[in-house]
Amino acid sequence: MSSIIANVNAKRISIVQGDIVDFIDEVATEVKVSIYIDGMLVNIFSTSPYRLLELGLGYILAHKFNILDERYIRVQGTDIYIENVTKAFNECKLKEENVKVPKDTVFQVFREILDKARLFRRTGCFHVAAIAKLSGDIIDFVEDISRLCAFYKVIGGAYRKGVDLGKTFIVMSSRASSSIVEGIANVCIPIAVFRGAPTLNAIEVSNRFSITLIAHMREGRANIYTKPERILYA
């Protein structure tokens, strides 16, 4: 597997100073990863070349598949083979009274994941995803060139640690798309925080599945679009 970051030769142009300078830049690498379920190719992703087992595990969980054991996930090069899965038809029933988190905890975790985003600071090319307990303890953290793969990897990582996802919240640096929010609903995470903007479909999906959707997250401010009852303001 290749490294996550590579060095390349580049030239920097300065309009102000009117010069061109040679320098070595750090850029993200990516690989094409194929996912097979019971021998059938189901998807191909461009992703950062690490944590591929978590990618496969998070993918099947976010698409409502059940798997008996992670031993049925095999990574061979850039191919992920998953066997013995069944489709789950039950939906999560999230209740607002069961999950509460102070607003200060949400902002604290947001600050922490931005501080941890070393690959992004080096290249400007990575999305960030983290899952935290309601206490604010970060369970798993991922940087990836793909926001969707970052989501799958962090879900897979948290699941491998035996965490009850129904008592966590997820924080992502990307926009809130309906596909990611649907995946969040499928793994029963009740609170989703995004640095970027939400789409209308993402808001509608959040309402349908009783997810607290927070977006436009910045230092000291954020917008809550659905189910604000879970956020404690005192």
Side-chain angles (χ1 to χ4, degrees):
M1 196 68 66
S2 59
S3 61
I4 301 172
I5 290 179
N7 292 330
V8 298
N9 295 319
K11 294 181 182 293
R12 179 171 288 130
I13 301 173
S14 173
I15 296 177
V16 175
Q17 298 180 0
D19 60 0
I20 300 176
V21 178
D22 293 321
F23 76 107
I24 297 176
D25 197 13
E26 291 186 307
V27 299
T29 64
E30 60 182 303
V31 292
K32 293 282 188 182
V33 172
S34 301
I35 296 181
Y36 297 84
I37 296 180
D38 291 331
M40 180 178 296
L41 177 64
V42 295
N43 222 318
I44 299 175
F45 294 105
S46 290
T47 185
S48 300
Y50 78 125
R51 299 192 72 178
L52 299 190
L53 189 149
E54 286 86 351
L55 171 61
L57 180 57
Y59 177 86
I60 60 173
L61 294 172
H63 288 83
K64 298 188 69 174
F65 286 100
N66 292 325
I67 187 167
L68 295 176
D69 194 292
E70 68 177 51
R71 289 176 298 177
Y72 292 109
I73 302 176
R74 177 169 54 90
V75 177
Q76 185 174 331
T78 57
D79 294 328
I80 303 172
Y81 298 94
I82 306 169
E83 299 176 345
N84 293 336
V85 297
T86 57
K87 193 70 173 177
F89 295 100
N90 58 308
E91 291 186 355
C92 292
K93 301 297 183 182
L94 299 174
K95 296 182 179 180
E96 290 82 355
E97 63 269 19
N98 292 341
V99 178
K100 304 285 185 180
V101 62
K103 70 179 190 313
D104 291 343
T105 300
V106 176
F107 282 104
Q108 168 201 323
V109 172
F110 177 71
R111 287 191 297 270
E112 287 184 14
I113 71 163
L114 293 184
D115 288 342
K116 289 168 66 71
R118 298 182 182 91
L119 297 177
F120 171 77
R121 287 197 296 274
R122 289 171 64 182
T123 66
C125 198
F126 286 83
H127 294 280
V128 176
I131 291 179
K133 295 180 180 179
L134 300 179
S135 62
D137 295 327
I138 295 176
I139 299 164
D140 202 45
F141 171 86
V142 172
E143 290 184 83
D144 199 279
I145 62 160
S146 161
R147 66 180 183 274
L148 197 54
C149 290
F151 167 65
Y152 292 143
K153 288 178 180 180
V154 81
I155 293 297
Y159 183 85
R160 293 188 74 193
K161 295 174 182 176
V163 174
D164 180 357
L165 294 175
K167 297 179 180 178
T168 68
F169 63 98
I170 186 168
V171 182
M172 298 190 65
S173 61
S174 67
R175 71 177 186 271
S177 66
S178 60
S179 59
I180 290 181
V181 174
E182 285 176 2
I184 290 169
N186 287 341
V187 296
C188 301
I189 294 177
I191 301 170
V193 182
F194 294 86
R195 190 176 191 276
T199 65
L200 177 60
N201 284 358
I203 295 171
E204 292 171 345
V205 170
S206 297
N207 260 323
R208 186 164 78 247
F209 291 103
S210 295
I211 292 172
T212 299
L213 177 62
I214 304 173
H216 287 294
M217 189 78 177
R218 297 293 187 272
E219 179 60 42
R221 65 178 176 86
N223 299 345
I224 305 177
Y225 291 89
T226 56
K227 304 300 177 183
E229 308 92 304
R230 293 196 179 99
I231 307 303
L232 302 176
Y233 299 96

